[in-house]
Amino acid sequence: MVGYYHKLLVILAASLTAAACSTVKNVPEGSYRLTANVVNIEEDGAVPALAPSEVTNYIRQKPNSYFFKGKKGGWNPFLYVYNWDNGKGKGWDNFVHKVGHAPVILDEDLVDKSETNILTHLQFLGYYGSSVTDTVISTGAKKAYVEYNVHTGKRYPISSIDYVIMDEELEKVYLADSASFLLKRGDFLSEKRLDEESTRAADYLKNKGYWEFSKNYFFFEADTAIVKDSAALTVFIRNYTRHEKPKDARPHRKFYFSDIKIVPISDEMKYRASLNMKIPLKYDTVSRDGIDILYSGKRTTRPSVLYDMNRIRPGDLYSDDLANNTYNRYTHMRSFSTVSMELEKSDTNKVNCTVTLFPAKTNGYNLKLEASVNSTGLLGIAPVISYYNRNIFHGGEWLQVTANGNFQFRPKDRVSAVEFGASAGLSFPTFVFLPDRLFKTVPRTDVNLNYNYQRRPDYTRKRFGADFGYSWSKEDEKWSFKLYPAQANVIKMSDVSDSLYFKFENNKLLYEQYKSHFELGSGFTCSYMSVPSINPPVSNFKATFSFDMAGNLLSAFNGCMPLDSTGAHTIFGTPYSQFVRTEASATYTWKFGKDNRQAFAVRGIAGLGFAYGNSEVVPYERQFWVGGANSMRGWNARELGPGALPSYNISSIPSQTGNIRLEVNAEYRFPLFWKLYGATFLDCGNVWSSQVSGDDELKILEGLANLTMDTFLKKLALNTGFGLRADFNFVVVRFDLGIKLYDPLYDPFYNPEYDPMYNPADYGWRSVNRWFDSKGFAFHFSIGYPF
């Protein structure tokens, strides 16, 4: 085996060495592939250093992106792939050119334009009299980098700041916010800082009623002769803009909201037709506190809800924040496809506001399906169908009803597992018990009910659950939060076979999972998306953190509860669970290539659950598992772990879990043709258990399941694989073939006479010729990307 891997490494090294010579194959004679832009900053005196990144962003021509980057170049395997063409211009050439990255050919005209860009930007930053020189340095083999030597010019600290404001009332309002001024004595003078202050001030004044104010009313003068090597700055706020003349001056006025109209459109086509044909619609008007709600048809949303969502009231001082807050609240209701806000000057100091709401698709269905099969012939099918309504009671309430199943079986085998569930959730556009004025978007109150039924050869499990909580997000929807003060679950076990209890009676890790129990606790989840979209078209980052806790409130009443035979406190004869559970995941997807159609995605997941007090193990429903279409794809769901522990279920239906999870996934996606994409992936991880029992023999088994530093690497599973994705924008259909590279499974009590299903030769590192044997792979079908 060692010889095999040695040969493989030799072949791989030889291939990479040969490929290294091919990155300039398609570079014309006399030209160079641009490998890097090197910026050297030269400054005089004790001026703070200018970061090269402030300059590199203004260089017109960028080199190819790199996986591993050095100062004068880097490594990108797709540059090699592009040069694998054979020059015939047919199918193979088209394929490698589509997957690979074309080399960037150095353009000296762009180098000259980059110098101009850099000088302009340096002056914007406050470096006056700067100079830039460039040098093209060849590194041989048609490759070169460009070195930009930047000599920064003189900078002038601000010695004094005077304000000259023509409008006395505006002067009082502006100077009252002096603590927020960005211009300060001692700072260096720069156009950048002047622009930042004028933009900030304009936003501030617009929130103080000055609807027509803009940053163009600011003028600046700097005198460098009064104090040597410094600038005396004068800030003017005039009654005319930079694009006007003094004769165009007019007073600055505070504006107030006047007529407020909310127009919910029930039939968008009819509304558009009336505008095109200039035929006025007939409206049914509802008025409240000076606000008119104009219905053009059926009242799909109650007037009281439309009124409460609005933050603008007649007579209020104009504020951009009020207008934006109102716009965001209607948008986040999700009952409207488009929200249009029109502001119109109606008098010398009055603004009319009309909010037009176009209807969204109110209800619909979603269908998801996952299917898998492994090399032992075990089939799994998991359908999910859901119905949603975004305006069920005509007040922006969301209803979602879901039914799901999970069926595992092996053809011509009586062993099977059946699972199905149903859930219903209702979300209200308000924050019960707290004023929603604390939120800039619409907060929601959520109530959910769910039921789950599992029938397996050795037991039947039923779960009833309910939770009450809140959800909200930031204005840009990058951050979202869910808080559940109350979460309850009742788990009832029945039809548990005597043989199952007998096998696990001394192993608390497994035995406690097959007992009825009750759970009452709370939970919190927050998530971040750098690009708020299901399938972002650009590089993006996603992260999620969740925390759940149960049993602490109930433990305060332990003195009132009877004990069962194990010493656990019970409610109506059922012990309650006490635990904490937390999980965090982070995903970065790098989009690159032509039209960003290639992607490299990396995900990391860590989870930990800990039982205490009234529980000895974390409940089965709250434990972690891996495998399946979105996790360790060389295994079926719940087939791997914990640690190196073999499956000790009586049946062949996998049910392996643990209270610790660590996993890392990587996937490269590339276009093939039409809407079909290929993928190759690598998954590494497992689940572990931290519980220990008192039985000596079972301690050996639990040692296999435990997470320890000395055995950590031996218990990490590893798989690779290949996949196809059909990306139709609105849905992604996915097929993945996961291949086991390393299987940590180990059975210290293996006896071929009693356990013919286990063979030590099937586990550990698996050579290429065993990838597709009876223990080597799993096939998955799913909807959506895995991460």
Side-chain angles (χ1 to χ4, degrees), residues 43-65:
E43 296 184 277
D44 294 332
V47 178
L50 177 70
S53 60
E54 285 279 5
V55 173
T56 54
N57 292 334
Y58 294 87
I59 296 175
R60 292 288 299 271
Q61 189 176 33
K62 303 292 192 297
N64 293 97
S65 56

Side-chain angles (χ1 to χ4, degrees), residues 29 34 61 77 145 193 227 425 431 468 536 659 665 674 718 723 726:
E29 289 296 331
L34 177 63
Q61 189 176 33
Y145 66 91
R193 183 50 62 94
V227 179
F431 205 108
F468 170 85
N659 65 307
N665 316 92
W674 188 50
L718 181 67

Side-chain angles (χ1 to χ4, degrees), residues 162-168 170-171 174-175 181 197 201-202 205 213-220 234-240 252:
D162 292 324
Y163 294 91
V164 179
I165 302 173
M166 299 176 67
D167 189 300
E168 293 184 2
L170 185 141
E171 180 180 21
Y174 176 63
L175 296 180
F181 288 3
E197 170 57 20
L205 291 170
F213 194 88
S214 75
K215 68 177 184 179
N216 290 325
Y217 286 100
F218 274 84
F219 294 78
F220 302 95
T234 303
V235 179
F236 298 89
I237 301 180
R238 292 177 173 153
N239 289 7
Y240 56 91
H252 293 285

Side-chain angles (χ1 to χ4, degrees), residues 532-544:
S533 172
I534 296 177
N535 187 14
V538 296
S539 299
N540 60 92
F541 174 75
K542 296 183 290 187
T544 301

Side-chain angles (χ1 to χ4, degrees), residues 542-724:
K542 296 183 290 187
T544 301
F545 172 80
S546 64
F547 179 82
D548 295 279
M549 180 170 56
N552 289 345
L553 179 62
L554 293 175
S555 65
F557 302 94
N558 281 347
C560 306
M561 300 180 190
L563 303 177
D564 65 7
S565 59
T566 65
H569 296 86
T570 62
I571 300 175
F572 301 114
T574 302
Y576 70 86
S577 297
Q578 195 168 6
F579 66 89
V580 293
R581 181 187 188 274
T582 184
E583 185 175 20
S585 67
T587 303
Y588 184 78
T589 302
W590 178 35
K591 296 288 187 78
F592 56 94
K594 184 179 180 180
D595 299 326
N596 275 347
R597 297 187 68 201
Q598 298 182 63
F600 182 74
V602 180
R603 178 183 67 175
I605 302 177
L608 173 65
F610 178 72
Y612 59 97
N614 207 53
S615 298
E616 296 192 60
V617 298
V618 176
Y620 175 81
E621 292 74 18
R622 295 292 191 167
Q623 295 208 24
F624 303 101
W625 54 271
V626 291
N630 301 317
S631 183
M632 300 293 298
R633 284 166 278 185
W635 287 260
N636 277 348
R638 294 181 173 86
E639 190 179 23
L640 174 62
L645 187 71
S647 174
Y648 270 77
N649 285 346
I650 301 298
S651 70
S652 58
I653 302 299
S655 187
Q656 306 293 95
T657 61
N659 65 307
I660 302 172
R661 179 185 182 184
L662 294 172
E663 185 176 353
V664 177
N665 316 92
E667 180 170 286
Y668 167 56
R669 304 160 191 161
F670 52 90
L672 296 175
F673 58 89
W674 188 50
K675 295 182 180 296
L676 196 64
Y677 288 73
T680 181
F681 54 83
L682 191 69
D683 303 319
C684 179
N686 207 337
V687 292
W688 289 264
S689 171
S690 62
Q691 275 77 19
V692 177
S693 68
D695 185 90
D696 290 337
E697 181 177 300
L698 290 173
K699 276 186 177 180
I700 299 176
L701 295 177
E702 291 187 347
L704 296 175
N706 289 347
L707 175 62
T708 59
M709 293 301 297
D710 57 335
T711 62
F712 172 68
L713 293 178
K714 293 181 180 179
K715 295 176 184 177
L716 275 176
L718 181 67
N719 70 252
T720 188
F722 311 93
L724 292 174

Side-chain angles (χ1 to χ4, degrees), residues 186 211 403 449 452 549 563 615 727:
W211 177 51
L449 300 173
N452 181 266
M549 180 170 56
L563 303 177
S615 298
D727 190 341

